[in-house]
Amino acid sequence: MNDALYDQAIIAEARSKTGAGRLDAPTVTAECDNPLCGDRITVDLAVQDGAISDLAHKTRGCLLTQASASLLARYAKGGDVAAARELRAAIDAFVKGQDDERFAILTPVRNAKSRWDCVTLPFQALADALADLEKRG
Amino acid sequence: MNPIRQDFPAFDRLDRPLHFLDNAATSQICRPALEALVRFETDDRSNVKRGVYARAERASVAFDDARKAAMEFLNAPSPEEIVFTSGATLGLNTAAHILQDRLKPGDVILVSLLEHHSNLVPWQLAAERRGASLRAIPVTDGGRLDLERLDELADRVKIVAVTHASNVTGAITDVARLRAFCDATGALLVLDGAQRAAHGPLDVQALGCDLYAFSGHKCFGPTGIGVLWGRYDLLDSAPPFLGGGEMIRRVSIERSTFAPPPHRYEAGTPPIGGAIALGAALAWSMAQDWDRLGAQERELAGRMLDGLASLPGCRIYGDTGTQQRIGVVSFELEDVHAHDVCQLLDSDHGVMLRGGHHCAQPLMERFDTVATVRASLAPYNDGADVDALLNGLEAVRRKLA
Ligand SMILES: Cc1ncc(COP(=O)(O)O)c(C=O)c1O
């Protein structure tokens, strides 16, 4: 069932470590834990004129979380905040079966429900950061 | 094939090998337990204690026999000291409830860094209610309780609550040393037997503990049932934990008087089939030759530990010897996350393992990690399971590390 879970595309995306690291002066930071395994991701955002001008994440997690964190950096960095707000719901819909090109390499995760949280975690951290930003006004 | 597998229906019809090495989480059910469950639900199903027809009589007798089986399994002095619970977690919460009124502000409950959260959180709650606090016995690099340090921890200790065997490192606790400590300090001794109970019958009198809890599903019985054993005077010293039917003597609108133990702690209709099946599982366990099974387990654990030690980049958490331990081994592969290991071992090698913090976060912190991989043995495991594990780990290492 999970045969393809560790196919080359996911491994390569995880190893790309896209966006890995911390920002020196983030506008906002959020930290998110996966209680199942204690994994943790910290997401730093630099926000300017309604756009995410820079993003970095520090990820302690499995390959799936790391691959997903790389995708997060690919899609959120450089985009506008409004679009980034949609990403958390989009990955949720994707694992539940909604087609979405952006997440295509994560398709095998759909069959491993116990691992859904692994791929949504980075996007939850992004959503938390954006919610924090909004609260500050 | 290990002949004991004939006693386990999980191995009856398999299209692929079942390398089940997650026994510390839940073991497979043994055939006598499953058959007892089906027999009760088919032939005798009715409520206990309140029926006078023959079917209910049979159910009541079987239920009482299960309590006696648990008494024999623990070598408890009387069936009145056997409380059926839903598992170790409820058992330990009940233990904390029973003992909490003895705590005064400033008193201390001594736990350890090895504890499963279910032998930690109930004591935290009790301590909070009573203005008491928790203190933890440290753990050695070998994953054992550091009992050398015991004497410096003694001040105001009223309760010692520790695991009989670790669900992470497999270390078996030196209970005699703790008993001596309790004799010297007057503290009461509570043991979490969730892991130890899967490795053969016990003797709570020889151990000298005051309360002992375990779960049926880890020792070849069904889920949803467990046992709390307690010295009668302790069980009789506390008010009920939950109110309802079966636990009362006399009820009016204003107040009730309570049944004596064990019924005082068994409010409502019990999991009757579960208790009967647990009795059958414990009887199965008592009929085994545990000298032989223990030797087999040590042999397999030794092969596992040796194999892991020679795997490049593999770190074993805890003792690497096979004495004074159960067959529970935790490890980590360098640069490979525990859940990635577990997922690949299952999908590519048919080996079932557990990855994570094992509900022992203080111990993870002690070892400066967040998640380990755990392999745990039961009597039905054999060399093929260990080989599949070690070959699978080597393959994962090549693929991911
Ligand atoms: C040492 C230990 N204590 C307590 C428990 C809790 O058992 P249960 O979840 O069956 O109540 C476990 C099970 O994971 C355990 O390993």
Side-chain angles (χ1 to χ4, degrees):
Chain A
M1 193 169 84
N2 306 322
D3 285 351
L5 204 46
Y6 292 88
D7 67 8
Q8 287 309 318
I10 290 182
I11 295 176
E13 187 63 34
R15 293 206 169 133
S16 76
K17 292 193 181 296
T18 309
R22 298 297 305 264
L23 297 185
D24 287 336
T27 317
V28 64
T29 295
E31 194 176 86
C32 216
D33 288 346
N34 181 346
L36 174 74
C37 49
D39 283 355
R40 170 168 297 174
I41 179 165
T42 308
V43 171
D44 291 330
L45 302 182
V47 178
Q48 236 174 4
D49 307 327
I52 298 177
S53 57
D54 206 355
L55 178 154
H57 62 87
K58 185 159 167 272
T59 303
R60 180 183 79 192
C62 61
L63 272 178
L64 301 182
T65 301
Q66 290 178 34
S68 178
S70 287
L71 292 179
L72 171 83
R74 270 182 220 289
Y75 299 133
K77 187 170 156 176
D80 57 312
V81 167
R85 281 194 211 289
E86 310 296 328
L87 284 170
R88 175 67 184 86
I91 185 127
D92 202 49
F94 171 79
V95 292
K96 290 176 180 157
Q98 173 89 48
D99 282 339
D100 191 330
E101 268 307 298
R102 295 172 294 182
F103 305 124
I105 64 159
L106 300 177
T107 303
V109 180
R110 284 180 177 164
N111 285 332
K113 196 165 182 202
S114 65
R115 305 301 294 278
W116 287 4
D117 287 349
C118 305
V119 296
T120 55
L121 187 73
F123 292 88
Q124 183 60 48
L126 172 70
D128 289 351
L130 294 174
D132 192 15
L133 191 68
E134 190 167 61
K135 234 182 332 185
R136 287 193 227 158
Chain B
M1 193 190 84
N2 183 338
I4 229 168
R5 287 193 178 175
Q6 287 159 9
D7 289 353
F8 288 84
F11 298 97
D12 284 359
R13 34 162 194 264
L14 288 176
D15 46 6
R16 58 190 295 221
L18 176 63
H19 298 301
F20 190 79
L21 292 174
D22 192 21
N23 295 290
T26 290
S27 67
Q28 298 304 310
I29 192 168
C30 65
R31 198 177 302 281
L34 186 59
E35 285 175 351
L37 186 61
V38 171
R39 199 181 319 117
F40 166 77
E41 300 291 3
T42 313
D43 298 335
D44 299 341
R45 186 176 161 105
S46 52
N47 214 323
V48 285
K49 287 186 221 128
R50 291 185 291 245
V52 293
Y53 45 91
R55 192 179 178 89
E57 191 66 39
R58 288 198 302 275
S60 294
V61 167
F63 186 66
D64 290 345
D65 285 350
R67 200 185 298 278
K68 284 188 203 125
M71 173 190 79
E72 286 167 26
F73 181 79
L74 292 168
N75 192 32
S78 124
E80 272 72 59
E81 299 186 348
I82 302 293
V83 179
F84 283 124
T85 66
S86 62
T89 300
L90 180 59
L92 292 163
N93 277 276
T94 306
H97 161 84
I98 288 170
L99 299 187
Q100 65 178 359
D101 286 351
R102 294 160 187 270
L103 296 168
K104 296 192 186 61
D107 282 346
V108 171
I109 303 166
L110 191 60
V111 293
S112 90
L113 285 184
L114 275 185
E115 297 320 305
H116 187 282
H117 298 163
S118 34
N119 196 32
L120 203 52
V121 182
W123 301 109
Q124 291 172 348
L125 296 173
E128 207 163 298
R129 282 191 291 262
R130 304 293 302 173
S133 63
L134 264 61
R135 190 178 294 149
I137 303 172
V139 166
T140 65
D141 290 340
R144 294 184 178 280
L145 294 186
D146 191 353
L147 298 182
E148 300 293 314
R149 305 273 299 279
L150 213 44
D151 292 330
E152 57 194 83
L153 304 171
D155 190 41
R156 297 207 66 174
V157 171
K158 292 295 179 301
I159 298 166
V160 178
V162 295
T163 191
H164 194 182
S166 165
N167 68 316
V168 178
T169 67
I172 294 178
T173 298
D174 178 359
V175 178
R177 178 72 186 81
L178 288 170
R179 181 64 257 163
F181 174 82
C182 289
D183 285 341
T185 56
L188 292 164
L189 182 57
V190 182
L191 293 179
D192 171 3
Q195 290 301 325
R196 172 56 187 80
H199 301 267
L202 290 147
D203 186 342
V204 288
Q205 300 185 66
L207 286 169
C209 55
D210 298 292
L211 292 155
Y212 196 100
F214 69 93
S215 295
H217 69 95
K218 292 185 201 279
C219 56
F220 322 112
T223 59
I225 185 80
V227 169
L228 172 68
W229 168 80
R231 264 179 32 216
Y232 192 87
D233 60 308
L234 288 177
L235 296 181
D236 200 29
S237 69
F241 188 30
L242 301 171
E246 317 264 18
M247 49 72 71
I248 38 78
R249 188 165 265 159
R250 184 150 203 182
V251 178
S252 66
I253 287 300
E254 296 296 309
R255 58 181 304 136
S256 306
T257 52
F258 304 116
H263 308 291
R264 186 181 302 170
Y265 303 104
E266 294 178 356
T269 298
I272 306 166
I276 291 169
L278 174 60
L282 298 178
W284 176 88
S285 179
M286 287 186 277
Q288 303 307 307
D289 175 359
W290 281 98
D291 285 342
R292 188 181 70 75
L293 293 180
Q296 170 187 299
E297 185 176 325
R298 278 190 297 280
E299 200 256 328
L300 292 177
R303 272 170 70 175
M304 204 147 81
L305 288 158
D306 290 348
L308 291 171
S310 62
L311 199 67
C314 180
R315 175 176 174 198
I316 297 170
Y317 291 94
D319 204 341
T320 54
T322 60
Q323 299 306 309
Q324 280 299 103
R325 79 175 302 149
I326 54 172
V328 172
V329 177
S330 285
F331 58 93
E332 228 171 44
L333 291 189
E334 197 176 8
D335 295 333
V336 189
H337 190 279
H339 279 125
D340 295 332
V341 173
C342 294
Q343 195 92 53
L344 278 166
L345 263 283
D346 178 53
S347 61
D348 296 4
H349 305 275
V351 178
M352 280 145 254
L353 302 167
R354 182 146 302 251
H357 52 62
H358 314 293
C359 297
Q361 282 179 343
L363 185 63
M364 296 295 113
E365 220 162 278
R366 160 71 177 83
F367 284 142
D368 198 20
T369 187
V370 284
T372 75
V373 183
R374 180 182 72 189
S376 49
L377 296 164
Y380 39 72
N381 289 124
D382 60 16
D385 297 329
V386 174
D387 291 345
L389 167 71
L390 295 172
N391 293 336
L393 290 174
E394 178 57 37
V396 167
R397 195 182 67 78
R398 284 216 210 92
K399 182 167 186 166
L400 296 185

